């Protein structure tokens, strides 16, 4: 149980770092980099709706609005 908890905490920290890197990338005008970082964050923590919503926003910023739509719907369903 302790190893499982430690692994979970490591995933949480990696997800948070990826989301922070995505925010930095968006501020720097690099939405493609943000998309990849947010895909990583969402994969690490699939239950975090805010990562999926941020991914949708980054996809729109990257000119991929049709790809963003499922993430918006998914994030809203999990609220």
């Amino acid at each position: 149980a302790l190893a499982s908890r430690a692994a979970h905490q490591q995933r949480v920290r990696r997800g948070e770092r990826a989301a922070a890197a995505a925010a930095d990338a968006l501020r720097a005008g690099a939405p493609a980099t943000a998309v990849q970082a947010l895909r990583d964050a969402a994969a690490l923590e699939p239950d975090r709706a805010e990562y999926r919503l941020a991914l949708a926003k980054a996809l729109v910023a990257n000119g991929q609005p049709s790809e963003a739509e499922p993430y918006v719907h998914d994030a809203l369903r999990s609220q």
Side-chain angles (χ1 to χ4, degrees):
L2 184 59
S4 176
R5 202 170 333 168
H8 172 73
Q9 287 301 316
Q10 184 179 22
R11 280 193 310 277
V12 168
R13 284 191 301 273
R14 287 174 55 205
E16 289 170 349
R17 283 194 303 270
D24 290 343
L26 283 173
R27 280 192 293 276
T33 300
V35 166
Q36 187 54 55
L38 287 161
R39 286 188 196 281
D40 293 345
L44 287 164
E45 289 197 84
D47 294 335
R48 298 274 302 258
E50 65 266 29
Y51 290 167
R52 293 190 305 278
L53 192 54
L55 174 55
K57 290 177 182 179
L59 285 162
V60 170
N62 199 42
Q64 299 171 269
S66 62
E67 194 174 334
E69 189 174 344
Y71 292 103
V72 173
H73 291 292
D74 187 42
L76 292 175
R77 269 195 305 274
S78 67
Q79 294 292 317

